[in-house]
Amino acid sequence: MTTQLQSAVEKSAIRKVSLRLVPFVALMFFINFLDRTAISFAGPNGMSEDLGLHAAQFGLASGIFFIGYILLEVPSNLALHRFGARKWLARIMVSWGIVSLLFTWVSSVEGLYTLRMLLGVAEAGFFPGAILFLSMWVPARHRSKVLSLFYLAQPLTVVFGAPLAAALIEQHGLFGLSGWRVMFLGVSIPAIVIGIVTWFYLADSPRQAKWLNAEEKAWLSSELEKERDQKQGNAHPGLRSVLFNGRVWMLCLIYFGFIYGLYALAFFLPTIISGFQQQFGTSFNVIEKGLITGVPYIFAAVVMFFWSRDASRRGCKTWHIALPALTGAISVPLALYMDSPMATILVISITASSIFAALPNFWTLPTQFLTGASAAAAIALINTLGNVAGFSAGYLTGMLKDATGSYTVSMMVVGGFMLLSAVLMLLLNAKRSGMQSARLSQEPSQ
């Protein structure tokens, strides 16, 4: 195949994968994140009152999801390898859709805890599985762009999902159900439907894709097989060293700070907005609250796109991650001292933008010094610690709210974790620079 023809086939193949798979997997992620965070909309719109939830109980219910998720994440990924991504991702979606549907009829705090735990079990492995699935379709040099488009679905989930959840809550009395129960019913059915569609729509490999021509199948399969062969050559060395690698554990702590901030916002932002009436004397209906909830994530999606684009052009620098972390650390507690709803949402928008600006660039770090199975093990470990942050953020935020009567201390803690991420990122860079200088000094002069 000539270079010119190969280039044309490469462009065509990547374009088809981007148009055929990325939007569909992003839709799956949209439904996933909406079902995971639906409790944040239900809480201040009747669920907490109906079930008699205190803030700490609401936080525990929000965070307990991650216990089941963490326990089953690795086994779920092993099952994905065994049964194929198409079948396993379809199974995950249908399973979590069924569990989410049961929230419609939950009647006690204990039942809420149980269903949130089961939802984590059902969803286990979806996010890393989706990342792995897309990675199995594009060579490494195109992977960053494809994954960044997929990641864009997360902030957009709130932008479109919050008004959707609010509109469902407004259907109070439908089928004789409270508004928050109607919302759970409405967000669950798409997961089951799209899960069934996934079984027939996705293909496990380029060779099975009927929408690629013979040249595109051959080129993609050849490129991916070359990469697999190279990784298999590196599969054994370094696996054990991941657990003893200080930089890996620093990355775990950096990621912990970002995810703590992400889920503190995701679970409690609707509740904070509901408190505007008491704090500022302003009143919003359910639809308006849903629209306001989406505002910070509109800014976050735009900032993430352009920030990641700049990082791709310059090469990801330390400040592409440390600066957003520092900005978020300052803005989180600052939001509590604003004197109007508009000013508060503006500062929260800065926080959300900071978190999402850092996350895609953060994931370029493990592969800068690890390869093959070592990189895969490090990414799994980092993601697991991030899920621990998801549990901690929900529970500690609610517990501190109950203990102090306000979100001031809770948000100070969020800011503290993000500040820790910024400091550790700078220390990691200093350590890396020191190692490079030492290596250069040991090289014989020419």
Side-chain angles (χ1 to χ4, degrees):
M1 186 181 295
T2 65
T3 303
Q4 185 175 4
L5 179 58
Q6 179 175 328
S7 177
V9 171
E10 178 177 355
K11 289 180 180 178
S12 175
I14 298 301
R15 183 175 64 253
K16 286 185 179 180
V17 169
S18 298
L19 293 175
R20 173 85 182 193
L21 295 183
V22 175
F24 186 81
V25 180
L27 174 62
M28 296 166 68
F29 188 31
F30 175 93
I31 298 170
N32 171 255
F33 197 72
L34 183 59
D35 280 356
R36 180 182 298 190
T37 58
I39 190 174
S40 68
F41 303 108
N45 288 290
M47 186 186 74
S48 292
E49 182 179 352
D50 290 350
L51 300 184
L53 291 174
H54 300 297
Q57 292 174 313
F58 175 77
L60 179 59
S62 300
I64 203 171
F65 163 94
F66 292 95
I67 296 178
Y69 191 95
I70 290 167
L71 292 175
L72 272 293
E73 184 169 8
V74 173
S76 180
N77 280 333
L78 292 175
L80 183 143
H81 278 284
R82 179 176 180 181
F83 298 109
R86 174 181 63 88
K87 294 178 181 178
W88 198 248
L89 289 175
R91 195 283 306 161
I92 290 175
M93 287 201 75
V94 173
S95 297
W96 95 55
I98 292 172
V99 174
S100 182
L101 186 63
L102 296 177
F103 281 84
T104 307
W105 299 283
V106 67
S107 59
S108 67
V109 175
E110 293 76 18
L112 182 66
Y113 290 159
T114 301
L115 287 178
R116 284 292 292 178
M117 174 78 81
L118 290 176
L119 187 64
V121 170
E123 286 192 23
F126 172 77
F127 180 75
I131 293 288
L132 178 62
F133 173 75
L134 291 174
S135 298
M136 291 161 54
W137 279 83
V138 290
R141 61 183 177 274
H142 297 287
R143 208 163 287 157
S144 177
K145 180 180 179 181
V146 167
L147 293 181
S148 66
L149 290 174
F150 166 72
Y151 220 110
L152 194 61
Q154 191 166 17
L156 292 180
T157 295
V158 185
V159 172
F160 296 106
L164 173 61
L168 290 169
I169 289 170
E170 283 283 86
Q171 306 308 308
H172 182 83
L174 184 66
F175 307 125
L177 298 171
S178 302
W180 64 271
R181 296 182 186 276
V182 175
M183 187 267 296
F184 275 119
L185 178 68
V187 300
S188 303
I189 293 174
I192 299 172
V193 173
I194 297 300
I196 295 171
V197 172
T198 297
W199 184 283
F200 301 99
Y201 184 84
L202 296 184
D204 281 320
S205 69
R207 293 192 186 280
Q208 299 175 7
K210 297 178 181 179
W211 39 273
L212 292 172
N213 62 39
E215 291 81 8
E216 292 161 347
K217 289 181 182 179
W219 179 82
L220 276 173
S221 299
S222 174
E223 291 293 307
L224 293 167
E225 285 168 6
K226 288 178 187 176
E227 290 185 4
R228 272 196 300 271
D229 291 341
Q230 184 179 2
K231 289 179 180 179
Q232 286 172 357
N234 295 325
H236 299 291
L239 265 179
R240 184 171 157 272
S241 66
V242 167
L243 290 176
F244 300 96
N245 191 313
R247 283 188 288 178
V248 171
W249 285 103
M250 287 183 75
L251 290 177
C252 288
L253 291 173
I254 292 168
Y255 190 59
F256 184 97
F258 285 123
I259 298 302
Y260 191 98
L262 174 66
Y263 280 107
L265 279 182
F267 288 138
F268 285 92
L269 180 57
T271 300
I272 292 171
I273 291 172
S274 293
F276 282 170
Q277 181 170 354
Q278 180 179 354
Q279 185 178 1
F280 302 115
T282 55
S283 180
F284 302 103
N285 61 38
V286 175
I287 296 294
E288 289 170 335
K289 290 176 185 176
L291 292 172
I292 293 170
T293 300
V295 168
Y297 295 90
I298 296 175
F299 286 101
V302 173
V303 170
M304 182 178 76
F305 176 80
F306 286 105
W307 195 258
S308 298
R309 186 176 178 180
D310 183 79
S312 298
R313 189 177 71 250
R314 298 173 188 263
C316 185
K317 308 297 183 184
T318 298
W319 56 266
H320 278 115
I321 301 165
L323 183 58
L326 180 60
T327 304
I330 295 171
S331 62
V332 166
L334 188 63
L336 299 170
Y337 298 98
M338 296 296 101
D339 58 1
S340 70
M342 182 179 295
T344 303
I345 291 299
L346 178 61
V347 177
I348 291 175
S349 297
I350 295 172
T351 304
S353 298
S354 300
I355 294 169
F356 282 102
L359 283 175
N361 296 310
F362 170 86
W363 282 114
T364 67
L365 297 178
T367 53
Q368 288 182 10
F369 62 94
L370 294 169
T371 59
S374 296
I379 290 170
L381 180 61
I382 293 165
N383 192 53
T384 298
L385 263 292
N387 289 323
V388 172
F391 168 75
S392 304
Y395 181 61
L396 287 178
T397 301
M399 184 182 70
L400 290 171
K401 166 62 167 61
D402 276 346
T404 63
S406 75
Y407 284 104
T408 302
V409 176
S410 300
M411 294 302 106
M412 290 290 184
V413 171
V414 175
F417 276 119
M418 294 194 69
L419 180 60
L420 178 64
S421 295
V423 171
L424 289 176
M425 189 63 222
L426 294 173
L427 289 175
L428 181 66
N429 180 65
K431 182 178 180 180
R432 181 173 53 187
S433 299
M435 293 175 65
Q436 290 174 345
S437 299
R439 189 164 54 247
L440 289 173
S441 66
Q442 292 173 0
E443 294 179 358
S445 56
Q446 301 297 322

